[in-house]
Amino acid sequence: MSLLRHIRACNAWRPERFIPLWRDEARVGLIRRDNAEALHRFTDVFSVEPDGVWLIAPGDFDAVSAAVDVVVERLVAEGRVAKWRNEFFAVSARWGMAPLFKLDRGAVGFFGVRAYGVHLNGWRRAGDTLQLWIGRRAADKKVAPDKLDNLVAGGIGHEHGIEATLIKEADEEASLPAGIAKRAIAVGALSYRMEVERGLRDDVLFLYDLEVPAGFTPKNRDGEIVEFSLMSASDVMERVHRSDDFKFNVNLVIIDFALRHGLVTPQDPEYLDLVTGLRRPLD
Amino acid sequence: MSLLRHIRACNAWRPERFIPLWRDEARVGLIRRDNAEALHRFTDVFSVEPDGVWLIAPGDFDAVSAAVDVVVERLVAEGRVAKWRNEFFAVSARWGMAPLFKLDRGAVGFFGVRAYGVHLNGWRRAGDTLQLWIGRRAADKKVAPDKLDNLVAGGIGHEHGIEATLIKEADEEASLPAGIAKRAIAVGALSYRMEVERGLRDDVLFLYDLEVPAGFTPKNRDGEIVEFSLMSASDVMERVHRSDDFKFNVNLVIIDFALRHGLVTPQDPEYLDLVTGLRRPLD
């Protein structure tokens, strides 16, 4: 087994199966050809051409969001979009630019819109041993049920900032007080693009490390995590190496942690491929 | 000013000005067209075609190295290669693979061969302040004279490993005892490719962080660094932001340090371009 296979799995997509989604001059998504076909009939909202889909609904942020919403409602009814999540992601040309419209989280994959999340590595030291707090996802989670996860993780919704999301999720997922969560240190980001059942994930994860006080034990409050356990970092790496026990993208977050903390060293023949593979250029 | 300009400067090259250098099936360099012209006459060693140069000298590692050496000697005499460095770099298809031949360090840029180095961030904490030990390069250095540098840095020569190089350079450049240098933690790598006067730099730097004991003051022994000073990390970042006081690639090492230690945060509009830009994919 290897670490690199997780990076490959999170970057498995075939460009020829997708066409760009445009809003004016900005590419805002990558739509699988079968999904593009399903948009042909919405001629007031989308113009579907062989080499791209143009979002032509007129008007401002609210008007475009509403027009897209009507389409998403039909896609949900037809089962092309799994279900409403009642949580909106902002869609813009690039991170930090003005949002062009908002999109229900459930439809992000269908349109292949870039999504942003935040993941927190909660670590502590017991003597010479580096430990990580690891959660187990609930069995009824839509994505990656039962898989192991970081202490805190979540998608960044429309009108929520990175650190606000981190603090909210830290509270809901782990009962981690804001006063502690605020000590988390920004340590980088990773990016990957993978085909999924209903379309494409084009994800950017902002990464944080937090030294969790020895006296604190995380407790879930939102039902998304069923248990937390404190594992040695070397046991975590062993499982990432040998199993698929962790959620697909959490493997990448942990590999990045391991690279930054000397748990994987240049003696590993995969080292340079790991270092360069965690951050696909953002086009 | 910005941080991203340093990454752009270290990645400034125009692919159309270069053609690949091949040894059998392996691309081992990128030769600028004017340099390729200068190899035409060495018909026993190189076959120069419009779309590539083939290293055709027959024989094993020693035989090929000797044949290339004869060519390099002529290039030095003509001023196309600056001077002998009497230090050899191994040339292979990829890091960790068997070396195909060795090449004088002075000729690496002419052939656009990938070179590997190691850089050490020497840090300590004074109260709440994170500090970095920074060296100033000697005025007679061929590359980047007078510029600021990391505590320890050096190229990885043929038959030297990464950590052996780190320990050797730590001793020569900073009088850092091996017992301390060995505590350095591998924290990743960065990669860039830039055109230089005589050809191309295609570099990979392995990165280490070391907490330097408060009682230790670095002292140079090889004449390459004229002085060391202890600077607060925020002053270092200020200078990286606003000046070109640091050696071109040391800016990148420090930006990577800053990203891993929360000194640059996602609130910086350049954040994702910095994170993804430090590690060009290795082709």
Side-chain angles (χ1 to χ4, degrees):
Chain A
M1 303 299 271
S2 87
L3 297 175
L4 198 54
R5 72 195 161 89
H6 295 300
I7 295 177
R8 293 207 181 102
C10 285
N11 285 281
W13 73 293
R14 296 202 313 228
E16 69 274 16
R17 288 166 60 82
F18 295 83
I19 55 177
L21 170 64
W22 297 92
R23 174 66 177 178
D24 299 325
E25 304 296 303
R27 186 192 67 74
V28 295
L30 281 168
I31 305 189
R32 202 167 55 197
R33 290 179 187 278
D34 58 329
N35 288 343
E37 284 303 313
L39 297 176
H40 256 297
R41 61 205 141 133
F42 304 108
T43 51
D44 293 347
V45 184
F46 293 104
S47 168
V48 180
E49 306 289 337
D51 59 343
V53 177
W54 278 260
L55 173 52
I56 54 167
D60 63 5
F61 176 91
D62 288 335
V64 175
S65 300
V68 171
D69 236 24
V70 171
V71 172
V72 171
E73 190 164 13
R74 284 284 295 277
L75 298 173
V76 171
E78 296 169 0
R80 293 179 195 273
V81 165
K83 63 165 184 171
W84 291 98
R85 303 280 290 264
N86 288 315
E87 191 184 332
F88 287 91
F89 277 13
V91 181
S92 62
R94 287 179 72 81
W95 175 256
M97 290 182 67
L100 302 169
F101 62 101
K102 63 178 184 174
L103 182 65
D104 190 89
R105 185 173 181 175
V108 163
F110 182 93
F111 292 100
V113 156
R114 183 161 294 150
Y116 300 87
V118 57
H119 280 244
L120 176 76
N121 298 294
W123 63 274
R124 45 178 276 196
R125 218 172 263 288
D128 281 346
T129 307
L130 183 63
Q131 299 174 315
L132 287 165
W133 275 109
I134 299 294
R136 179 178 290 282
R137 296 163 66 85
D140 62 356
K141 288 282 278 185
K142 189 172 135 44
V143 176
D146 284 326
K147 294 287 186 183
L148 299 179
D149 206 336
N150 293 115
L151 176 58
V152 176
I156 300 170
H158 171 54
E159 293 191 318
H160 296 281
I162 300 169
E163 290 185 4
T165 300
L166 179 62
I167 287 166
K168 178 174 91 53
E169 296 284 346
D171 175 45
E172 294 174 6
E173 291 197 348
S175 309
L176 194 66
I180 298 176
K182 279 180 181 166
R183 293 183 215 148
I185 294 169
V187 292
L190 56 85
S191 50
Y192 56 88
R193 180 181 285 171
M194 68 192 293
E195 186 169 348
V196 291
E197 189 191 344
R198 291 173 201 271
L200 189 80
R201 287 186 75 119
D202 192 23
D203 287 355
V204 169
L205 306 183
F206 294 99
L207 307 179
Y208 287 77
D209 280 2
L210 174 68
E211 181 172 6
V212 179
F216 175 79
T217 299
K219 194 146 87 178
N220 181 260
R221 305 205 286 120
D222 64 6
E224 299 197 358
I225 296 288
V226 291
E227 58 174 358
F228 285 103
S229 53
L230 195 57
M231 294 172 60
S232 75
S234 57
D235 282 353
V236 168
M237 286 310 293
E238 175 79 7
R239 285 178 84 155
V240 171
H241 244 293
R242 293 181 187 273
S243 78
D244 294 321
D245 292 344
F246 282 86
K247 187 187 168 201
F248 59 98
N249 58 3
V250 174
N251 289 298
L252 274 52
V253 176
I254 290 171
I255 292 168
D256 179 83
F257 182 88
L259 286 168
R260 289 184 290 102
H261 292 271
L263 306 174
V264 179
T265 67
Q267 281 66 49
D268 188 318
E270 292 183 338
Y271 193 75
L272 291 177
D273 292 323
L274 295 171
V275 166
T276 58
L278 286 172
R279 302 162 182 201
R280 72 176 303 285
L282 299 178
D283 52 12
Chain B
M1 304 300 271
S2 88
L3 297 176
L4 198 55
R5 73 195 161 91
H6 294 300
I7 295 177
R8 292 207 182 103
C10 286
N11 285 281
W13 73 293
R14 296 202 313 230
E16 69 275 14
R17 288 166 60 82
F18 295 84
I19 56 176
L21 170 64
W22 297 93
R23 174 65 179 179
D24 300 325
E25 305 297 302
R27 185 192 67 75
V28 294
L30 281 168
I31 304 189
R32 202 167 55 197
R33 290 178 188 278
D34 58 329
N35 289 342
E37 284 303 312
L39 296 176
H40 256 298
R41 61 206 141 134
F42 304 109
T43 51
D44 292 346
V45 184
F46 293 104
S47 169
V48 180
E49 306 288 338
D51 59 343
V53 177
W54 277 260
L55 173 54
I56 55 167
D60 61 6
F61 176 91
D62 289 334
V64 175
S65 300
V68 171
D69 237 22
V70 170
V71 172
V72 171
E73 192 163 10
R74 284 284 294 279
L75 298 173
V76 170
E78 295 169 1
R80 293 180 193 274
V81 165
K83 63 166 184 170
W84 291 98
R85 303 282 289 264
N86 288 316
E87 193 184 330
F88 287 91
F89 277 12
V91 182
S92 62
R94 286 178 73 79
W95 174 256
M97 290 181 69
L100 303 168
F101 63 100
K102 63 178 183 175
L103 183 64
D104 190 88
R105 187 173 179 174
V108 163
F110 182 93
F111 293 99
V113 156
R114 182 162 294 150
Y116 299 87
V118 57
H119 281 243
L120 176 76
N121 299 294
W123 63 274
R124 44 178 275 194
R125 217 173 263 288
D128 280 347
T129 306
L130 184 62
Q131 300 173 314
L132 287 166
W133 274 109
I134 299 295
R136 179 178 291 281
R137 297 163 66 84
D140 62 355
K141 288 281 279 185
K142 188 174 135 43
V143 176
D146 284 325
K147 295 287 185 182
L148 300 179
D149 206 337
N150 293 114
L151 175 58
V152 176
I156 300 171
H158 171 55
E159 293 191 319
H160 296 281
I162 301 168
E163 291 185 3
T165 301
L166 179 62
I167 287 166
K168 178 174 91 54
E169 296 284 346
D171 175 43
E172 293 174 5
E173 290 198 348
S175 308
L176 194 66
I180 298 176
K182 278 181 180 164
R183 292 184 215 147
I185 294 168
V187 293
L190 56 84
S191 50
Y192 56 88
R193 180 180 286 171
M194 69 192 293
E195 186 169 348
V196 290
E197 189 191 343
R198 290 172 201 270
L200 189 80
R201 287 185 76 120
D202 191 24
D203 286 356
V204 170
L205 306 183
F206 293 99
L207 307 178
Y208 287 77
D209 280 2
L210 173 68
E211 182 172 5
V212 179
F216 175 80
T217 299
K219 195 148 85 179
N220 181 259
R221 303 206 287 122
D222 64 5
E224 300 197 358
I225 297 288
V226 290
E227 59 174 358
F228 285 103
S229 54
L230 196 56
M231 295 172 60
S232 75
S234 58
D235 283 352
V236 169
M237 286 310 293
E238 175 79 6
R239 286 179 83 155
V240 171
H241 244 293
R242 292 181 187 273
S243 79
D244 294 320
D245 292 344
F246 283 87
K247 186 187 168 202
F248 59 98
N249 58 3
V250 173
N251 289 297
L252 273 51
V253 176
I254 290 171
I255 292 168
D256 178 84
F257 182 87
L259 287 167
R260 289 183 291 102
H261 292 271
L263 306 175
V264 179
T265 66
Q267 280 66 49
D268 188 318
E270 293 183 337
Y271 193 75
L272 292 177
D273 292 321
L274 295 172
V275 166
T276 58
L278 287 172
R279 302 162 182 200
R280 72 176 303 285
L282 300 179
D283 50 15

